[in-house]
């Protein structure tokens, strides 16, 4: 268990960490996130004493880190940095076994450990052990960076934006691997990132920091559901929507809200007038409390409409209709199968909510795929 | 005097002079390098102060060797010691300058990784900073070695042997053959030692540190081709 107690740090009189209190359970995957300059990296690096704290204390299993030699402390805490930092003068095997070598493990044990570790990330010992870092791809290098941190079986691993410099595809697979490793080996991981997607994907608990303070520490689900602060909401803004869409895109997510409506008491000429104004060829008919009644189409007015009469008898009710909470796929299917121009979306109590058109559909898809819009 | 006769007369002297000369060079480069590396490590720990110290040292380097040996011998006498002290001091600077900048330019990410792994200052120095600065240190050693081959000629000025003897004698007797007899082996020695050091460096540089330069050159070439 790791406990931060009123930890304070300033640089040149400017406070960067303003009294952090945080308890991290064993085996927990904690992500420190927040806007740049929020003190998350400083908070991380104070744990292995790469940065000395000004006041407060950090306890690991009840023992203050101040009572331990920094070097010895660090050999017991894995550390992965964004720039990877594999030593170019050492082979993969030498890099992995840097810490065991300092801990005076014998050669045989180190070799066994290197084999074991490489197997964890599906890298063949004979192929990779004697390569140098510059002979590996970026993703492979950071895998070795992670293995180096794990080599001496530290119970705690610190990661400082470890995947920030990797391309999205590599990053994605490394995230999967690290989550898997963390669970399998039951490590306590503290991970700094500024990428909310990464945080949501990996964390057991997200610690949101801003301006040197913790604004919220909660599970990803809880943080998505009820962000404690506007800054968090803003920070998650598009992430909330995105995650939402990837999982369960509903009709209300993809519909257009602004819809041309008309009351059933209106007369045909007014209706035509309104259609030409809005440049549409049909209108949604709703009564005064926005209860959905049907649609009225220009063809019907042309064929059967009588000037001066209300549009009531012309209302069609055979248009495809979905409820807001239904899966977006349903709207998509209706739109494609029935070759309709749009699908009407109603709330569970039959009030008009919006319509799904082909363009609103593709916009929503683009946003779900690429996070735009 | 025919060339044959000339060689017969001086061959032994020449051989001995070459060995003495080589001995001075190797000894003084070694002493200078050790001192330089120690100084470089100390200076890199205090980069703020070093920014002022390094220029001062580089000014000292410009004092002509002939002046320096001339003054030094007033105190230490006409002994090999004088030559060794003077040349060792001269050997320091090129190594120091290169080692200093080599260590200083080791990317901080390696230091951060090393510290994060729990290396002590010494462990970091020997397993990370020195190896990574090695190419630069070698440039300094090579430079110093070649300089020293020519500066060792000054040893003869105070009668301490080496190839300089032939040169001074040649100058004194206006005998070009003697001058060449000192100068040509000295030149060959400089070239030979330079080549030897290159070989040693190639052997000592791990593969991981050799290839990136080639590959960056390659990619630069490719980039240029791409632009064309």
């Amino acid at each position: 268990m790791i406990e931060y107690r009123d930890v304070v740090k300033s640089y040149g009189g400017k406070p960067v960490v303003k009294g952090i209190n945080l308890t991290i359970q064993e085996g927990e995957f904690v992500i420190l996130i927040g806007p740049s300059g929020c003190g998350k990296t400083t908070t991380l690096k104070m744990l292995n004493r790469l940065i000395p704290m000004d006041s407060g204390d950090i306890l690991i299993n009840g023992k203050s880190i101040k009572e331990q030699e920094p070097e010895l402390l660090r050999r017991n805490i894995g550390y992965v940095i964004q720039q990877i930092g594999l030593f170019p003068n050492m082979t993969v095997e030498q890099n992995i076994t840097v810490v065991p070598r300092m801990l005076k493990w014998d050669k045989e044990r180190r070799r066994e450990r290197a084999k074991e570790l490489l197997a964890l990330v599906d890298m063949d010992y004979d192929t990779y052990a004697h390569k140098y870092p510059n002979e590996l791809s970026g993703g492979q290098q950071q895998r070795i960076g992670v293995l180096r941190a794990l080599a001496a079986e530290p119970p705690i691993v610190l990661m400082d934006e470890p995947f920030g410099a990797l391309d999205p595809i590599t990053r994605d697979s490394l995230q999967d691997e690290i989550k898997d490793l963390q669970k399998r080996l039951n490590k306590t991981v503290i991970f700094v990132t500024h990428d909310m997607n990464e945080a949501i994907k990996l964390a057991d608990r997200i610690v949101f920091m801003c301006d040197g303070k913790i604004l919220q520490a909660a599970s990803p689900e809880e943080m998505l559901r009820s962000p404690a602060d506007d800054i968090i909401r803003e920070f998650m803004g598009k992430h909330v929507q995105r995650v939402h869409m990837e999982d369960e895109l509903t009709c209300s997510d993809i519909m257009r809200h602004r819809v041309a409506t008309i009351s059933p008491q209106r007369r045909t000429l007014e209706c035509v007038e309104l259609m030409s104004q809005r440049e549409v060829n049909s209108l949604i008919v709703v009564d005064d409390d926005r209860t959905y009644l049907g649609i009225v189409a220009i063809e019907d007015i042309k064929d059967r409409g009588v000037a001066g009469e209300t549009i009531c008898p012309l209302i069609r009710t055979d248009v495809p209709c979905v409820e807001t909470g239904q899966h977006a796929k349903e709207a998509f299917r209706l739109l494609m199968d029935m070759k309709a121009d749009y699908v009407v979306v109603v709330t569970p109590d039959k009030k008009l909510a919006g319509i799904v058109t082909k363009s609103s559909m593709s916009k929503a898809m683009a946003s779900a795929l690429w996070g735009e819009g | 005097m025919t060339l044959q006769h000339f060689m017969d007369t001086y061959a032994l002297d020449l051989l001995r002079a070459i060995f003495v000369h080589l001995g001075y060079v190797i000894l003084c480069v070694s002493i200078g390098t050790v001192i330089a590396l120690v100084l470089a490590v100390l200076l890199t720990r205090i980069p703020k102060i070093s920014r002022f110290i390094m220029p001062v040292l580089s000014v000292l380097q410009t004092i002509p060797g002939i002046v320096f040996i001339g003054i030094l011998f007033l105190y230490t006498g006409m002994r090999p010691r004088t030559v060794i002290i003077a040349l060792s001091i001269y050997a320091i600077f090129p190594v120091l300058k290169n080692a200093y900048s080599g260590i200083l330019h080791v990317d901080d990410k390696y230091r951060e990784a090393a510290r994060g792994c729990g290396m002590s200052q010494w462990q970091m120095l020997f397993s990370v900073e020195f190896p990574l600065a090695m190419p630069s240190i070698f440039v300094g050693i090579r430079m110093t070695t070649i300089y020293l081959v020519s500066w060792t000629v000054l040893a003869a000025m105070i009668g301490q042997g080496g190839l300089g003897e032939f040169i001074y004698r040649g100058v004194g007797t206006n005998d070009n053959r003697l001058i060449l007899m000192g100068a040509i082996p000295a030149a060959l020695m400089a070239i030979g030692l330079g080549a030897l050091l290159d070989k040693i460096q190639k052997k000592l540089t791990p593969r991981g540190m050799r290839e990136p330069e080639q590959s960056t050159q390659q990619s630069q070439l490719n980039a240029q081709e791409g632009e064309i």
Side-chain angles (χ1 to χ4, degrees):
Chain A
M1 194 167 76
I2 301 164
E3 293 165 83
Y4 282 77
R5 287 190 185 162
D6 298 315
V7 176
V8 174
K9 175 72 191 176
S10 17
Y11 286 120
K14 197 176 156 279
V16 269
V17 173
K18 303 172 179 170
I20 293 274
N21 281 293
L22 179 67
T23 303
I24 295 165
Q25 301 301 328
E26 213 176 297
E28 201 176 7
F29 200 126
V30 170
I31 291 209
L32 301 178
I33 196 169
S36 51
C38 69
K40 52 188 193 288
T41 300
T42 308
T43 302
L44 182 88
K45 288 186 185 174
M46 281 190 289
L47 183 61
N48 65 358
R49 295 187 62 182
L50 281 177
I51 296 177
M53 60 188 127
D54 294 345
S55 71
D57 204 353
I58 301 173
L59 310 180
I60 297 177
N61 294 329
K63 197 178 167 203
S64 168
I65 58 165
K66 290 178 186 167
E67 291 164 16
Q68 299 168 57
E69 279 297 308
E71 281 85 25
L72 301 181
L73 176 76
R74 290 178 200 137
R75 288 173 203 171
N76 249 318
I77 299 177
Y79 186 53
V80 185
I81 56 173
Q82 178 180 0
Q83 312 93 315
I84 303 173
L86 293 181
F87 304 122
N89 53 321
M90 301 181 194
T91 62
V92 164
E93 180 167 9
Q94 288 166 336
N95 264 291
I96 296 178
T97 55
V98 160
V99 184
R101 208 159 42 236
M102 285 189 289
L103 295 173
K104 310 251 186 313
W105 291 17
D106 63 56
K107 210 174 169 186
E108 203 44 49
R109 184 165 169 216
R110 292 204 306 260
R111 170 147 307 162
E112 278 313 304
R113 185 64 183 146
K115 279 185 185 166
E116 216 175 288
L117 286 162
L118 283 167
L120 278 179
V121 292
D122 290 322
M123 284 170 82
D124 180 45
Y125 177 85
D126 294 322
T127 316
Y128 291 105
H130 304 295
K131 287 202 168 170
Y132 281 91
N134 64 340
E135 295 165 332
L136 304 177
S137 70
Q140 288 170 332
Q141 286 184 25
Q142 192 56 302
R143 279 187 185 90
I144 302 303
V146 170
L147 296 185
R148 179 172 64 183
L150 293 173
E153 312 204 38
I156 302 168
V157 180
L158 309 182
M159 301 193 166
D160 187 6
E161 300 201 30
F163 308 140
L166 302 174
D167 66 272
I169 296 168
T170 312
R171 190 187 313 150
D172 207 55
S173 65
L174 266 158
Q175 285 167 348
D176 291 335
E177 283 174 38
I178 197 72
K179 182 76 190 169
D180 180 53
L181 278 177
Q182 182 262 340
K183 271 197 199 140
R184 224 165 0 133
L185 307 174
N186 193 34
K187 300 286 179 200
T188 308
V189 174
I190 307 179
F191 188 113
V192 165
T193 183
H194 58 257
D195 178 353
M196 200 33 113
N197 282 328
E198 189 167 67
I200 289 163
K201 184 171 172 183
L202 295 174
D204 293 326
R205 193 147 56 111
I206 299 177
V207 175
F208 194 100
M209 291 185 64
C210 187
D211 199 22
K213 282 179 288 203
I214 295 178
L215 289 186
Q216 188 178 13
S219 69
E221 295 77 19
E222 195 185 329
M223 195 168 278
L224 286 171
R225 211 178 314 122
S226 52
D229 194 287
D230 282 343
I231 302 170
I232 304 179
R233 187 170 298 120
E234 198 183 312
F235 207 81
M236 292 199 298
K238 90 178 174 217
H239 302 279
V240 177
Q241 219 179 0
R242 267 185 82 178
V243 171
H244 195 50
M245 282 176 174
E246 278 158 7
D247 292 350
E248 33 170 345
L249 206 61
T250 62
C251 293
S252 67
D253 291 324
I254 60 169
M255 71 187 179
R256 220 173 71 191
H257 294 271
R258 287 189 46 195
V259 185
T261 58
I262 192 162
S263 138
Q265 279 82 42
R266 298 288 174 162
R267 296 168 203 287
T268 46
L269 285 180
E270 286 176 281
C271 185
V272 173
E273 178 68 26
L274 189 61
M275 282 182 186
S276 71
Q277 248 177 43
R278 305 289 292 262
E279 293 178 339
V280 290
N281 53 20
S282 65
L283 294 169
I284 316 285
V285 186
V286 292
D287 66 14
D288 295 340
D289 61 355
R290 263 183 96 82
T291 304
Y292 170 68
L293 298 173
I295 68 157
V296 54
I298 187 81
E299 303 95 58
D300 294 335
I301 296 176
K302 219 161 53 187
D303 294 349
R304 306 190 276 125
V306 182
E309 288 292 306
T310 64
I311 54 168
C312 233
L314 302 174
I315 296 173
R316 277 208 216 172
T317 51
D318 59 347
V319 281
C321 189
V322 290
E323 275 192 14
T324 44
Q326 264 179 296
H327 204 282
K329 227 163 134 186
E330 186 60 22
F332 180 74
R333 195 183 58 76
L334 287 169
L335 208 54
M336 290 302 148
D337 289 359
M338 307 193 52
K339 304 224 179 333
D341 289 336
Y342 55 83
V343 177
V344 178
V345 185
V346 296
T347 60
D349 53 350
K350 301 292 170 226
K351 300 244 194 305
L352 177 68
I355 59 171
V356 175
T357 64
K358 281 177 182 152
S359 75
S360 76
M361 184 100 215
S362 39
K363 237 166 128 180
M365 286 179 151
S367 137
L369 274 175
W370 303 303
E372 287 161 5
Chain B
M1 202 156 36
T2 62
L3 190 65
Q4 180 65 44
H5 188 203
F6 186 81
M7 287 309 283
D8 286 346
T9 318
Y10 289 112
L12 258 178
D13 282 351
L14 180 64
L15 211 62
R16 206 185 54 230
I18 287 173
F19 274 109
V20 169
H21 203 97
L22 197 62
Y24 277 135
V25 171
I26 291 172
L27 183 67
C28 297
V29 168
S30 307
I31 295 171
T33 300
V34 170
I35 297 172
L37 291 182
V38 172
L39 285 177
V41 170
L42 293 176
L43 287 172
T44 49
R45 307 296 116 162
I46 43 163
K48 272 187 197 140
I49 303 172
S50 302
R51 232 178 296 149
F52 302 103
I53 296 179
M54 293 305 280
V56 173
L57 287 176
S58 73
V59 169
L60 287 181
Q61 190 69 15
T62 59
I63 298 171
I66 197 159
V67 173
F68 191 64
I69 289 186
I71 293 170
L72 195 68
F73 114 96
L74 294 178
Y75 295 96
T76 54
M78 276 175 50
R79 283 186 261 179
R81 180 166 85 180
T82 308
V83 176
I84 292 167
I85 292 173
L87 293 182
S88 296
I89 288 173
Y90 272 91
I92 292 171
F93 192 74
V95 181
L96 174 59
K97 187 170 162 250
N98 283 281
Y100 174 77
S101 75
I103 294 173
L104 218 56
H105 284 106
V106 168
D107 197 322
D108 271 335
K109 68 183 178 187
Y110 300 122
R111 285 202 186 87
E112 165 133 15
R115 293 216 300 146
C117 285
M119 285 190 194
S120 64
Q121 287 287 330
W122 285 110
Q123 283 167 329
M124 180 156 92
L125 183 66
F126 285 106
S127 17
V128 179
E129 291 178 300
F130 267 150
L132 295 189
M134 205 42 96
S136 179
I137 293 173
F138 248 98
V139 170
I141 293 178
R142 193 178 188 281
M143 210 188 274
T144 279
T145 306
I146 289 166
Y147 285 163
L148 270 204
V149 170
S150 71
W151 288 333
T152 302
V153 167
L154 297 178
M157 192 179 78
I158 56 168
Q160 297 309 315
L163 289 165
E165 246 172 56
F166 286 88
I167 296 171
Y168 279 103
R169 217 185 290 169
V171 171
T173 60
N174 204 10
D175 187 341
N176 286 341
R177 286 178 310 180
L178 276 173
I179 295 176
L180 288 177
M181 207 159 172
I184 291 171
L188 290 177
M189 193 183 290
I191 293 169
L193 286 174
L196 183 71
L197 282 170
D198 286 343
K199 256 215 160 95
I200 293 172
Q201 183 184 9
K202 234 179 200 160
K203 261 232 154 83
L204 288 183
T205 312
R207 201 168 76 238
M209 285 177 59
R210 272 190 305 230
E211 282 165 24
E213 275 167 47
Q214 283 172 5
S215 65
T216 49
Q217 275 171 7
Q218 198 77 48
S219 61
Q220 275 165 2
L221 275 179
N222 290 345
Q224 279 167 359
E225 280 168 9
E227 276 163 33
I228 295 160

